[in-house]
Amino acid sequence: MDKSAPINTLDELLCFNVYSLHRSFGRYYQAAFSETGLTYPKFVILMALDVGGPMSVSDLSVRAGVEANTLSPLLKKMADFGAITRTRSEADERRVEVAITPMGQDILTRARDIISQGFKDLQIDPDRMFEALTFLGEVRVKVEDSDPPKLDLDGIA
Amino acid sequence: MDKSAPINTLDELLCFNVYSLHRSFGRYYQAAFSETGLTYPKFVILMALDVGGPMSVSDLSVRAGVEANTLSPLLKKMADFGAITRTRSEADERRVEVAITPMGQDILTRARDIISQGFKDLQIDPDRMFEALTFLGEVRVKVEDSDPPKLDLDGIA
DNA sequence: GGAATAAACATCGTATACGAAGTAATCCAA
DNA sequence: TTGGATTACTTCGTATACGATGTTTATTCC
């Protein structure tokens, strides 16, 4: 019989605050990028490739924080568009090397500026944000390393 | 010519840290809820209805932080399952009143326990979390109130 | 060195999410 | 009071995401 900390409202839950803010950012960027064909996940991919250089789909998966199967169709679209290239590795025929193109760089440069500008508009305290970034990063590691308890609805549904 | 704060890596971006942690939580809860039919968004809906009582789709939309059109199909599925009820308002035929059922309550009770347990396992410092919750909430308000600068790819794509 | 494994991507099925557009009910102003 | 807004919800089209599974290529271990 362990009551642990009973959850009262959604606002007390970190996962909900993260979920909620994520969706707010999603709508924000959808408005910022509308009509350009760029989306937030594509921006993340361009950033990862720009900073980390050419890399395999799996490496990109780790950097971007999404599963490889989510990346596959996205990368195909971006390659068709011309923002990135996809090349079978000579050394290992299983691997696909992904790289940003000059056109992708151009897009990224402008997107970076927009995001910088938008961030400045938000007037967020740098110290609090740094602390939050650190905290969120630590939590992410813990969540990923953790084995979640399993929900059991026997007798209910 | 405003360079503002140039963005170097994804890790420096609050939106990316939120995005990334959101996905980690998503995989975490998918594992916790697997096979039960419950999902994180459905849990959020049950929580909102349990705490706030019966309410319209639009009110629920605000509480859960998702658009009403996202809710519609979800609510239909949950009602078919028996966890909630959907009733046309007598007073205003446009409105649909949504309420949690006893079966939904039972599901929620167990889900709450699982989430409490999982949270305890993560060993998160309460003070830092409280500060983070406050910060994330403030940022969310700012993001929602803010008018995003518009990306322009003329001459590139 | 050849079968059993494992690794890297891609595909498939399902579940959110969003904006835009559609429908029906209510409100409101001339 | 009636016809044009406005509101509430739904439907539609598109874009992520995930786990499970399939396919191809590399590795490993007899």
Side-chain angles (χ1 to χ4, degrees), chain A residues 40-107:
Chain A
Y40 188 72
K42 287 174 188 164
F43 163 75
V44 167
I45 291 170
L46 291 180
M47 276 290 286
L49 290 174
D50 186 56
V51 173
M55 66 184 87
S56 70
V57 174
S58 356
D59 289 346
L60 188 55
S61 158
V62 174
R63 297 252 194 173
V66 294
E67 297 298 319
N69 55 3
T70 299
L71 248 33
S72 271
L74 253 166
L75 295 177
K76 186 176 293 187
K77 279 191 291 184
M78 292 172 75
D80 289 347
F81 190 73
I84 63 170
T85 57
R86 280 155 76 245
T87 322
R88 278 281 159 196
S89 162
E90 298 275 319
D92 186 338
E93 290 277 342
R94 293 171 304 180
R95 295 166 63 87
V96 171
E97 295 294 329
V98 187
I100 191 169
T101 62
M103 185 238 230
Q105 301 262 8
D106 291 343
I107 295 172

Side-chain angles (χ1 to χ4, degrees), chain A residues 114-129:
Chain A
I114 285 294
I115 288 182
S116 291
Q117 184 57 53
F119 176 73
K120 226 176 60 172
D121 293 347
L122 293 181
Q123 305 255 36
I124 295 174
D125 179 73
D127 290 337
R128 290 181 76 203
M129 183 170 89

Side-chain angles (χ1 to χ4, degrees), chain B residues 19 23 27 56-58 69 72 76 86 94-96:
Chain B
Y19 170 75
R23 226 97 30 50
R27 290 185 287 263
S56 69
V57 174
S58 356
N69 55 3
S72 269
K76 186 176 295 188
R86 280 155 75 244
R94 293 170 305 180
R95 294 167 64 88
V96 170

Side-chain angles (χ1 to χ4, degrees), chain A residues 21-37:
Chain A
L21 180 53
H22 167 64
R23 227 96 32 49
S24 292
F25 272 132
R27 289 186 288 262
Y28 179 91
Y29 284 120
Q30 209 158 340
F33 295 162
S34 70
E35 309 300 329
T36 66

Side-chain angles (χ1 to χ4, degrees), chain B residues 121-132:
Chain B
D121 293 347
L122 293 181
Q123 305 255 38
I124 295 175
D125 179 74
D127 290 337
R128 290 181 76 202
M129 184 170 90
F130 181 77
E131 165 58 20

Side-chain angles (χ1 to χ4, degrees), chain B residues 14-27:
Chain B
L14 179 61
C15 50
F16 177 72
N17 279 270
V18 168
Y19 170 75
S20 184
L21 180 53
H22 167 64
R23 226 97 30 50
S24 291
F25 271 132
R27 290 185 287 263

Side-chain angles (χ1 to χ4, degrees), chain A residues 51 145-146:
Chain A
V51 173
D145 288 350
S146 154

